[in-house]
């Protein structure tokens, strides 16, 4: 059974989708050789995948809950990042010339689509207002990220490390969400910087390298910043190590530079 078929079956085990699109894949190469043969065995397989799933309705779950349920189901096949939308929403976006919906229909043929599903015709009109809006979004997001970053630096000087980490979370959220908005045309209303990081890494590969999550220490440090959005203000036992703060502030500084320079693809 091939990759698309496996993926369709796994998603169908969670919900009956209206359509499934592959938005991106990352591959890994596996090479095997030994002294008993002059031949080298090589194969390439999907290591990470980015998918859009259209569903008929949310039912009893939120979009985020559907995304997490589908990702958990598909992660054994390949590390999966998911956007879930109601079909009616996606259809409305298409009819309005929404940048994300337009890009999907232009560039990503569905690997699965119900015969009964009919999407709006692709709008071929250019939208100069949308381009101006993108510029405004980028400028506004960059300014907010810079202001929160300045706040993080100020709180370090004052030795208010918990508040500094909160400001870093906000700077990271603003920078990542702006990358996603301007790079994909997709608005992700979330304070979850781990999810925003995964989305943004499909816009700019270098972004993922700024926050490596390979070791337990790296994961713990990033989770600390994730928790800072709430715990820094409301949990007395929330503590921040100065060295963790310095490592993260350097990463966020580089993230803001990426936002300033644009996208490297």
């Amino acid at each position: 059974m091939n990759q698309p078929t496996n993926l369709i079956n796994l998603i169908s085990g969670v919900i009956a989708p209206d359509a499934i699109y592959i938005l991106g894949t990352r591959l890994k190469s596996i090479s095997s050789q030994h002294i008993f043969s002059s031949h080298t065995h090589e194969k390439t397989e999907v290591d990470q995948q980015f998918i859009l799933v259209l569903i008929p309705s949310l039912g009893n779950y939120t979009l985020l809950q559907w995304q997490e349920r589908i990702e958990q189901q598909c992660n054994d096949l390949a590390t999966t990042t998911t956007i879930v939308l109601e079909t009616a929403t996606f259809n409305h976006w298409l009819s309005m010339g929404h940048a994300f919906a337009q890009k999907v229909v232009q560039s990503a043929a569905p690997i699965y689509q119900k015969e009964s599903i009919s999407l709006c015709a692709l709008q071929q009109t250019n939208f100069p207002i949308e381009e101006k809006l993108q510029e405004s979004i980028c400028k506004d997001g960059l300014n907010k990220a810079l202001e929160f970053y300045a706040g993080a630096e100020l709180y370090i000087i004052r030795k208010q490390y918990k508040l500094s980490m909160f400001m870093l979370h906000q700077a990271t959220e603003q920078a990542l969400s702006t990358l996603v908005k301007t790079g994909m045309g997709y608005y992700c209303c979330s304070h979850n910087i781990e999810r925003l990081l995964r989305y943004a890494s499909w816009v700019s590969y270098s972004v993922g390298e700024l926050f490596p999550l390979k070791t337990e220490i790296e994961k713990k440090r990033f989770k600390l910043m994730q928790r800072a959005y709430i715990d820094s203000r409301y949990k007395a036992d929330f503590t921040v190590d100065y060295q963790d703060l310095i490592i993260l502030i350097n990463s966020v500084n580089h993230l803001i530079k990426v936002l300033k320079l644009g996208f490297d693809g």
Side-chain angles (χ1 to χ4, degrees):
M1 202 176 289
N2 58 27
Q3 178 88 7
T5 302
N6 283 332
L7 183 60
I8 293 165
N9 289 340
L10 286 170
I11 293 171
S12 298
V14 177
I15 187 172
D18 283 341
I20 304 169
Y21 292 84
I22 301 290
L23 304 181
T25 56
R26 293 194 180 118
L27 307 177
K28 68 176 179 181
S29 297
I30 301 173
S31 178
S32 174
Q33 54 186 346
H34 52 80
I35 63 172
F36 303 106
S37 173
S38 59
H39 299 290
T40 300
H41 175 69
E42 295 182 351
K43 70 173 183 177
T44 302
E45 60 185 39
V46 174
D47 183 49
Q48 298 181 48
Q49 57 191 356
F50 184 23
I51 62 175
L52 168 65
V53 181
L54 302 183
I55 61 176
S57 67
L58 294 182
N60 296 324
Y61 297 97
T62 65
L63 285 175
L64 178 59
Q65 288 171 329
W66 280 120
Q67 286 165 176
E68 291 178 341
R69 292 186 72 201
I70 291 171
E71 286 169 358
Q72 289 171 3
Q73 184 82 342
C74 297
N75 275 342
D76 286 341
L77 184 63
T79 301
T80 304
T81 299
T82 305
I83 291 176
V84 173
L85 291 171
E86 289 182 285
T87 305
T89 299
F90 187 77
N91 235 345
H92 175 67
W93 286 4
L94 267 179
S95 70
M96 299 297 291
H98 189 286
F100 174 75
Q102 293 266 308
K103 184 65 175 177
V104 170
V105 173
Q106 284 174 338
S107 305
I111 61 168
Y112 170 81
Q113 184 171 316
K114 274 186 179 178
E115 291 183 5
S116 59
I117 298 303
S118 177
L119 298 179
C120 288
L122 182 65
Q123 303 295 315
Q124 298 297 335
T125 310
N126 291 323
F127 295 91
I129 295 176
E130 181 74 15
E131 292 176 9
K132 291 180 181 179
L133 180 61
Q134 293 289 82
E135 292 176 9
S136 174
I137 289 169
C138 188
K139 183 178 179 180
D140 182 60
L142 177 59
N143 286 340
K144 287 178 180 176
L146 286 169
E147 290 301 315
F148 282 123
Y149 183 83
E153 290 184 312
L154 177 61
Y155 280 121
I156 285 180
I157 294 171
R158 294 183 174 183
K159 300 188 186 308
Q160 297 288 329
Y161 299 153
K162 291 195 292 185
L163 289 177
S164 180
M165 189 66 82
F166 170 76
M167 289 293 181
L168 270 191
H169 177 285
Q170 292 295 281
T172 304
E173 179 185 325
Q174 289 296 326
L176 291 175
S177 62
T178 302
L179 281 166
V180 174
K181 287 176 187 176
T182 54
M184 290 184 194
Y186 177 65
Y187 290 63
C188 181
C189 299
S190 175
H191 300 299
N192 186 328
I193 55 175
E194 187 274 334
R195 178 165 292 279
L196 287 170
L197 178 63
R198 282 193 281 142
Y199 288 158
S201 69
W202 289 98
V203 175
S204 172
Y205 186 76
S206 64
V207 168
E209 297 177 334
L210 297 177
F211 300 95
L213 301 173
K214 296 179 181 178
T215 68
E216 289 305 313
I217 292 175
E218 290 168 344
K219 292 175 184 177
K220 183 178 179 181
R221 186 182 299 126
F222 188 80
K223 187 176 181 180
L224 183 72
M225 184 164 64
Q226 176 89 292
R227 290 174 51 211
Y229 178 69
I230 294 176
D231 292 0
S232 64
R233 295 171 290 165
Y234 303 116
K235 288 197 175 181
D237 61 349
F238 180 78
T239 59
V240 176
D241 181 79
Y242 175 78
Q243 292 301 323
D244 286 335
L245 189 57
I246 293 302
I247 290 171
L248 286 169
I249 203 167
N250 287 333
S251 296
V252 177
N253 182 37
H254 287 298
L255 172 63
I256 292 173
K257 288 179 180 178
V258 171
L259 183 57
K260 283 182 179 178
L261 293 173
F263 314 118
D264 59 17

